[in-house]
Amino acid sequence: TVEALPKERRRLSSSLDARLFKVDALERSLPLFKDGTLYLDNDVALKRGSVDELFGYFDELRKRHRALGVVRAHVCVPPGHRTPEVPPGYCEHNSGVLFFQDQNQSKALVGEWLAELTRRTSADGQDQLPLRKVLWRHRDDVWDLPYGLQCRGRRCDPCAKKGHRNTLLWHAAREDRVRFVAKRRPNATADDGVCGFYA
């Protein structure tokens, strides 16, 4: 049983179980929505009033004939994630913001991702390395979304303009967003938010 494993192995097992659940749920639900699916991790905050712009990316995916839109990860290839199956210059992508356009291609892609996860191809239990392998194999079906679309991690500043776009997604743990709001606006509450985002 999971309880009999050493503490670090329990954490990895639990982490992997959550990721398997996520990817399995995606694979099962993609056929239900023929016009596309936007997947966001539960720690992603949407900028108020950004829904139309976000859904505009589905139009862009259709124009480009791509099945999936993803954002490059803020670390190209983390330690321990190198693999001979993928060139070192092909970066990982964030699995917490996914625009699935073509239902059949997307389902096949997610099925391969689930198979990679099931084979436990990542020693740290993360889903980014298995996703990177699949995206490399399907790179002609993938569109790299603008990097500034999301602000990722506890050190990101969602108010900073990145490139020609404002950030639409703030991808950080809620406690990190609350801390950021408290520093930026000391008299504000978490519900007041900052730069169009609620913490």
Side-chain angles (χ1 to χ4, degrees), residues 105-154:
Q105 284 178 293
S106 293
K107 185 175 179 349
L109 195 146
V110 172
E112 285 186 43
W113 184 17
L114 184 59
E116 286 283 348
L117 273 170
T118 303
R119 287 192 295 272
R120 289 168 166 58
T121 59
S122 180
D124 61 5
Q126 297 293 318
D127 58 4
Q128 310 264 116
L129 172 58
L131 178 62
R132 180 171 167 245
K133 291 178 177 184
V134 173
L135 295 181
W136 172 249
R137 292 193 296 262
H138 292 273
R139 60 193 173 278
D140 293 338
D141 297 324
V142 176
W143 177 46
D144 283 339
L145 296 163
Y147 188 74
L149 171 68
Q150 77 166 339
C151 181
R152 174 80 174 99
R154 76 173 53 134

Side-chain angles (χ1 to χ4, degrees), residues 24-152:
D24 181 60
L26 277 169
E27 185 187 37
R28 291 171 186 264
S29 64
L30 284 172
L32 303 175
F33 306 100
K34 67 178 179 67
D35 293 326
T37 299
L38 171 58
Y39 170 81
L40 300 173
D41 274 352
N42 67 356
D43 61 348
V44 176
L46 277 69
K47 188 172 196 169
R48 291 186 298 261
S50 67
V51 172
D52 288 341
E53 189 173 349
L54 278 172
F55 278 84
Y57 285 109
F58 285 112
D59 296 331
E60 194 62 36
L61 282 163
R62 274 189 282 281
K63 279 191 243 172
R64 293 170 183 262
H65 305 287
R66 298 289 195 261
L68 175 66
V70 288
V71 179
R72 274 195 201 141
H74 60 290
V75 175
C76 184
V77 181
H81 283 211
R82 288 201 182 274
T83 175
E85 298 169 57
V86 183
Y90 188 78
C91 295
E92 288 190 359
H93 289 74
N94 186 299
S95 63
V97 176
L98 302 166
F99 286 77
F100 294 101
Q101 166 50 40
D102 181 282
Q103 146 185 73
N104 293 326
Q105 284 178 293
S106 293
K107 185 175 179 349
L109 195 146
V110 172
E112 285 186 43
W113 184 17
L114 184 59
E116 286 283 348
L117 273 170
T118 303
R119 287 192 295 272
R120 289 168 166 58
T121 59
S122 180
D124 61 5
Q126 297 293 318
D127 58 4
Q128 310 264 116
L129 172 58
L131 178 62
R132 180 171 167 245
K133 291 178 177 184
V134 173
L135 295 181
W136 172 249
R137 292 193 296 262
H138 292 273
R139 60 193 173 278
D140 293 338
D141 297 324
V142 176
W143 177 46
D144 283 339
L145 296 163
Y147 188 74
L149 171 68
Q150 77 166 339
C151 181
R152 174 80 174 99

Side-chain angles (χ1 to χ4, degrees), residues 141-188:
D141 297 324
V142 176
W143 177 46
D144 283 339
L145 296 163
Y147 188 74
L149 171 68
Q150 77 166 339
C151 181
R152 174 80 174 99
R154 76 173 53 134
R155 292 191 187 108
C156 76
D157 180 350
C159 302
K161 194 168 182 174
K162 295 173 178 72
H164 69 286
R165 296 186 180 274
N166 290 320
T167 298
L168 302 179
L169 303 169
W170 188 4
H171 194 167
R174 186 171 195 298
E175 60 267 17
D176 294 329
R177 295 193 310 261
V178 169
R179 252 185 252 116
F180 181 90
V181 171
K183 283 182 185 174
R184 182 61 69 96
R185 296 180 61 200
N187 296 325

